[in-house]
Structure formats: C-alpha cells, structure tokens
Amino acid sequence: MADLSTSYMGLKLRNPIIAASSGLTNSLENILKIYDAGAGAIVLKSLFEEQINFAINKTFNQSENNYSYPEAQDYISHYTRENDLERYLKLIRDAKSRIDIPVIASINCISSSEWITFAKNIQDAGADAIELTIFILPSDPRRKSDQHEQVYFEILQSVMKQVNIPVSAKISYYFSGLTNMALQFSWTGIKGLVLFNRFFSPDIDIDKLEITSSHVFSTPGEMALTLRWVALLSDKIQCDIAASTGIHNGEAVIKQLLAGAKAVQVASVLYQAGFEQIGIMTGTLDAWMEKHGFATTNDFIGKLSYKEAENPAAYERVQFMKHFSGIE
Ligand SMILES: Cc1cc2nc3c(=O)[nH]c(=O)nc-3n(C[C@H](O)[C@H](O)[C@H](O)COP(=O)(O)O)c2cc1C
C-alpha cells in the first residue's frame, strides 16, 4: 500500500481526505463514524460569530445578521439557548480523547468583534487548528471592495494574536483580484487556505411564486472552478491549500492534489452517499499511486500546478474555442 499521508497546515494527516464543516460533523457519534470511515481530519460544524458574541454580551440583534446560510438564524437562536459554547468545547475535548486525527474547529465570521477572545478557549479545549469561514456578501452598494477586504485581515490578524495553533481561512471566489488577495492572506501567517466555500443559493418556485432554497449539495462538475484556482495559486501563496467544492470521488481528489492541494474537504458526497465514500476515495487514491509508481503523496502533489504543468496556459484559458472544447 502506498503512503497516503500528507501534511496540511503543519498537521500530519493519515490521508488527504478531510470531512468538511457541516451538520455531519456536529456530534461525537458522527465524528467517530467519520474517523472509522478513514478520514484524514475533521472540521467541526461552524460556530457563528453571533452565537459567541451573544454568549459574551447576552445581547442579540437579529436585524444585524448577514449570513450566507438561512439556517444560521435558526441555528443561532436555537443553540444559544442550549449553552452552545460549552457544548462546542466539550465536543472538541470528547473528540480529541477518542480519535487520533486532527480536529479542526470552525468559526463562521464577518467581523473581528468580541468573539475573537473565544479562539483561546477553542485552543485550550485541544483543537488542533481553527478554520475561519469568512464571507461578506458584497451586496451593499455603499461598501467598496477594499472595505470588505480589510475585514478579512482584521479577523485573521486578531485571531492569530489569541492562539498558537494553526489558523486557516475558508474563502469564496468573490474577489476581483483573487490571486493578489490569496497572496496577501498567506502573508498574514495563516497556515491554510480553503478554496472555496460553497454557499446556500436561493431559487424561485415558479408555481408558488416563492423564493426557496435549492442546490444544497454540490455536483461533481463544480470541482472545475476549484481546480483552476488551486493550480493557479498553489505555487504562489505561502500556505497550504485544501480544495473544497464538488469533490465527490477519488479521481477528483487525485486531480486536486496534482494541481497542488495538500488536502481536500468533502461534505456533499458524505450527505448523499455516506461516510463509506471516504474509504472508497482513499482506495482509488492508493490504487492510482501504485499504478503510477508514486510511493508518497509528496511525489505527485503539485505535479500539474501552474508552474509545473507543461501547458499552464490551459489554466488561464477562459473562452470556449472549438479547437479545445471540441464543440462548435
Ligand atoms: C448542509 C451543509 C452545511 C454546511 N455547514 C457549513 C458550516 O457550518 N461551515 C462551513 O464553513 N461550511 C459549511 N458547509 C460547506 C461545506 O463545508 C463545504 O465547503 C461545501 O459544501 C463544499 O463542499 P462539497 O462540494 O463537498 O459539499 C456546509 C455544507 C452543507 C451542505
């Protein structure tokens, strides 16, 4: 068997498959199942900044919410009543006492407010790292892009002042200067960048004339967007990349690693096809490494990144041309 281990954010992973933050990673029962299924690491369900601020301030102003998941509102109201912060810390402690793979805590945040101090509690509970899911929907016409961008830096820098464990940022592709932003994020000292978060998207029910939710889960084709940016950024930025969105099978894992990701994060496929998909993915990865004579993941990670690929321009090609797509 090939050595599937990888290093991500300075953490040793037995293989590159990370269970992404989702409702599936919110209970010890599931965490143990994900561990048994063979995951390399687990990112816990996100705490929301507002939850933490509420617990700290005991105030909660619903009108100021601005979250990408509609479930956020319910989640926040419900769980704050359940003494959720202590529950979250207990989940970290319990997980760390039962499994020997990295447990990464996650916080969904949009500002560097009081909640920042809670990062230290997460570290003290034994989390191996903190993933910060940061997204401010650029929908306010009064706010310029640099005002949004500044918030990311304030959050990253203030959290890193609180903790010594590695910190990563999980971002979206909503940046006009994505490469420059990713570079600057990596210069802050974060150890990982997760490309990309996938958001809840609205839909419209044309019979009921109502706004609804849909496309909760990704499709395999969505992986292509991530693949391009992993390849374009992996040689340039000064931290590790974990690829996320649309990774549904072992072939997709291999592609992201070839493009330069150190690890991948999966959620939709676990919801749709079960935790056993993790073992199927690692099996595919192992068989492929054997077939190609790669003894370790380091032997091929980044082999087809922008810098290493024979034909890097393919990553920058954006227009359909018959010559490349085969379609008129
Ligand atoms: C039901 C559901 C809940 C999620 N909750 C969170 C969350 O709390 N925090 C977060 O950073 N990402 C969350 N995500 C996003 C996933 O972590 C992941 O980045 C995204 O689904 C793309 O990966 P996939 O294509 O494998 O699903 C959630 C996704 C789903 C489907």
Side-chain angles (χ1 to χ4, degrees):
M1 182 164 170
D3 177 2
L4 305 191
S5 67
T6 184
S7 144
Y8 170 60
M9 298 172 79
L11 305 169
K12 173 111 183 193
L13 273 54
R14 58 181 168 173
N15 68 61
I17 322 276
I18 301 175
S21 176
S22 81
L24 295 176
T25 59
N26 203 22
S27 71
L28 184 63
E29 191 190 350
N30 272 350
I31 288 170
L32 296 178
K33 285 184 190 160
I34 290 169
Y35 172 74
D36 288 341
I42 296 179
V43 187
L44 302 182
K45 171 79 185 159
S46 301
L47 274 179
F48 289 88
E49 160 188 327
E50 298 262 343
Q51 269 177 283
I52 305 171
N53 283 347
F54 176 75
I56 292 172
N57 295 326
K58 299 279 182 246
T59 58
F60 182 55
N61 181 354
Q62 294 201 343
S63 62
E64 282 178 12
N65 274 320
N66 179 20
Y67 285 107
S68 9
Y69 288 100
E71 63 184 336
Q73 192 77 60
D74 288 347
Y75 185 83
I76 291 164
S77 324
H78 177 69
Y79 281 98
T80 39
R81 285 195 294 274
E82 303 266 320
N83 196 7
D84 50 315
L85 300 196
E86 186 39 49
R87 183 195 164 277
Y88 200 76
L89 297 176
K90 183 171 180 322
L91 185 62
I92 296 171
R93 284 193 292 268
D94 288 349
K96 284 304 296 175
S97 70
R98 299 287 295 275
I99 61 177
D100 57 6
I101 58 172
V103 173
I104 302 172
S106 165
I107 298 170
N108 218 313
C109 49
I110 52 168
S111 75
S112 66
S113 49
E114 298 90 325
W115 73 267
I116 297 278
T117 54
F118 188 68
K120 179 81 169 57
N121 299 53
I122 286 176
Q123 172 174 280
D124 293 345
D128 294 284
I130 300 181
E131 183 177 282
L132 300 171
T133 298
I134 314 175
F135 182 58
I136 304 149
L137 190 75
S139 58
D140 182 344
R142 293 162 303 182
R143 280 174 71 94
K144 294 188 176 168
S145 53
D146 56 347
Q147 290 173 281
H148 289 299
E149 288 159 11
Q150 188 52 33
V151 176
Y152 287 74
F153 292 103
E154 285 166 10
I155 293 172
L156 296 177
Q157 279 152 356
S158 41
V159 171
M160 280 185 294
K161 274 192 201 142
Q162 298 283 330
V163 295
N164 308 315
I165 53 176
V167 172
S168 63
K170 183 176 184 185
I171 61 168
S172 79
Y173 45 83
Y174 282 86
F175 293 98
S176 53
L178 182 54
T179 302
N180 181 270
M181 288 313 300
L183 254 182
Q184 289 195 55
F185 291 150
S186 73
W187 292 339
T188 62
I190 58 168
K191 300 285 182 234
L193 201 56
V194 184
L195 306 175
F196 295 105
N197 196 10
R198 181 177 186 277
F199 304 106
F200 163 83
S201 296
D203 198 358
I204 288 179
D205 183 322
I206 59 171
D207 291 320
K208 294 185 183 158
L209 302 187
E210 272 175 14
I211 301 168
T212 60
S213 61
S214 76
H215 314 298
V216 174
F217 300 125
S218 65
T219 56
E222 291 178 50
M223 190 207 70
L225 178 79
T226 304
L227 190 70
R228 177 199 296 268
W229 286 103
V230 169
L232 288 173
L233 294 175
S234 58
D235 303 313
K236 298 188 180 76
I237 66 173
Q238 286 177 12
C239 65
D240 293 339
I241 292 178
S244 163
T245 293
I247 298 161
H248 284 231
N249 53 44
E251 288 78 6
V253 175
I254 295 163
K255 290 176 192 182
Q256 297 288 358
L257 298 180
L258 282 168
K262 290 291 199 75
V264 303
Q265 296 197 358
V266 295
S268 292
V269 71
L270 304 185
Y271 274 102
Q272 293 174 310
F275 298 143
E276 63 269 26
Q277 291 306 311
I278 296 170
I280 298 174
M281 287 180 181
T282 52
T284 304
L285 174 61
D286 183 34
W288 177 85
M289 285 174 66
E290 296 268 349
K291 183 175 163 197
H292 289 267
F294 295 125
T296 72
T297 52
N298 269 342
D299 293 344
F300 71 91
I301 284 179
K303 215 172 168 47
L304 289 178
S305 67
Y306 184 82
K307 202 169 113 203
E308 299 299 326
E310 264 179 37
N311 177 23
Y315 289 123
E316 291 178 316
R317 188 170 299 126
V318 289
Q319 309 299 353
F320 283 104
M321 289 168 73
K322 187 179 173 219
H323 175 71
F324 298 116
S325 68
I327 299 173
E328 189 77 67

